[in-house]
Amino acid sequence: MNLFKLAYRNLGRNRTRSLLSSLAVAVGMSLLLLMAAVLEGEMKGALQNTIRLQSGHIQIRPEAYEEGQVSLKWEDLIAEPNQVIEKVKSLPQVTVATPRLIASGILTLSDESKGVQIVGIEPDSAANKPFRDGMLDGEFLNADDREGILIGNTLADKLSLKVGDKVNLLVNTSSGDVDEQLFTVRGIYTTRTPAYDENTVFMPLAKAQAFTVTENHASTIFILLQDDQQAEPVAEALQSANYKVLTWREQNALIVQFEDFAGAYMMILYLIVLGITATVVTNTLVMAVFERTREIGILAAIGMKGRGIMAQFLAEATLLATGGVIGGLIIGGAMVAYFTVYGIYIGDFGLSGVLFEERIYAHLTVGNTINLAIVTYIITLVASLYPARLAARMEPVEALHGAGV
């Protein structure tokens, strides 16, 4: 205890320098917290988006399905999807199971055209909650609507479309022919995911099947579960020789790879921030060593051993680290809280296979907070080893005369 009292008194000799050093640790710690929270929020948001909008927790696909393939050939579709859905809904973990038909098409308006993905949905399904909740204008689809479509706000802005406008849709049918029909924009939605909203057009499943000549067939069965950790056992229970069962992990392998890459990149940034912080602490203590050279010589002359002198400087570093980590938790916590609520606007940040929202919301976990606090503390103490050893190795006679080691 006396050691830390003396260390506190020594730091008080040059309060400005000590405060700046502790502030450097705090700023470094707060930046680490913010970076970790933004990365966690980015990956969590992208994965949740992809699950609720595109992949579901599980998808059932035809046996001939290949990743990235959009085909309306009979062998690439699920026949009698409602029979499969009855089996799926018998499992207690399943909350939603609905068929969807996916086709590539071209939307044309006057002299403008845009390639889109046409998705046939059952309008009453709970799986459509993100689109219902995101309605900006107009009304949602009805199952018996044969002329209406929903478009995203990004597509509407790009083509200057509004509710009630009429557009042409061209699509390849199951027979390989091209069909074109006139549709009315019933509503405009947003998922706050520009890449998705620009390229996805919805219509009732029955109309999509009639339009593409795929009656009583579906491209996929979209399944949501009570808990994403149930995906593997449910998929195992649904295995069949007639179709493929894909979990959200299998469908979103790119996001996992992207997360690993981003994690490695952020680790480099962490080391840079910690390196700068360590340099400041080392510089502070080295200056303190040379300012107190005669004092160190006197302590050595009256019998204090090198490890005692070294412990004195390590105690000072401990106080700097403690103040810095506490300050970092306060500053970093405030920054993370702000970006958790308001997010960071990134706009249309497109990456194939990954659905980013237009804003990234920070998400800080307790584990990340504890780990970063411990790492910052340890790095600060390690940075103090050099000046502490420098002081411990001083020869008493030379130190009394103001000379270094």
Side-chain angles (χ1 to χ4, degrees), residues 221-273:
I221 295 174
F222 180 93
I223 302 171
L224 294 177
L225 307 175
Q226 296 173 355
D227 188 336
D228 57 14
Q229 299 305 313
Q230 298 171 334
E232 280 70 24
V234 172
E236 186 66 27
L238 294 174
Q239 289 298 330
S240 169
N242 300 321
Y243 46 75
K244 291 182 179 179
V245 182
L246 304 174
T247 66
W248 60 268
R249 287 190 176 87
E250 293 171 310
Q251 296 177 75
N252 298 307
L254 179 61
I255 296 180
V256 176
Q257 293 173 2
F258 182 78
E259 183 175 7
D260 291 340
F261 173 79
Y265 179 72
M266 292 302 289
M267 185 61 66
I268 295 174
L269 292 181
Y270 292 165
L271 293 176
I272 292 174
V273 172

Side-chain angles (χ1 to χ4, degrees), residues 163 176 330:
V163 172
I330 295 173

Side-chain angles (χ1 to χ4, degrees), residues 107 109 112-117 149-162 167 169 185 188-189 194-202:
L107 185 149
L109 175 69
E112 296 184 275
S113 62
K114 178 75 173 66
V116 296
Q117 184 175 77
I149 59 172
L150 289 184
I151 64 172
N153 65 320
T154 310
L155 179 60
D157 292 342
K158 183 161 289 189
L159 297 180
S160 300
L161 290 169
K162 60 183 183 300
V167 297
L169 274 178
V185 177
I188 298 174
Y189 71 89
Y196 188 87
D197 297 344
E198 181 180 346
N199 296 293
T200 308
V201 173
F202 293 103

Side-chain angles (χ1 to χ4, degrees), residues 318-337:
T318 300
L319 293 180
L320 288 176
T322 302
V325 168
I326 293 174
L329 289 172
I330 295 173
I331 298 172
M335 294 168 63
V336 169

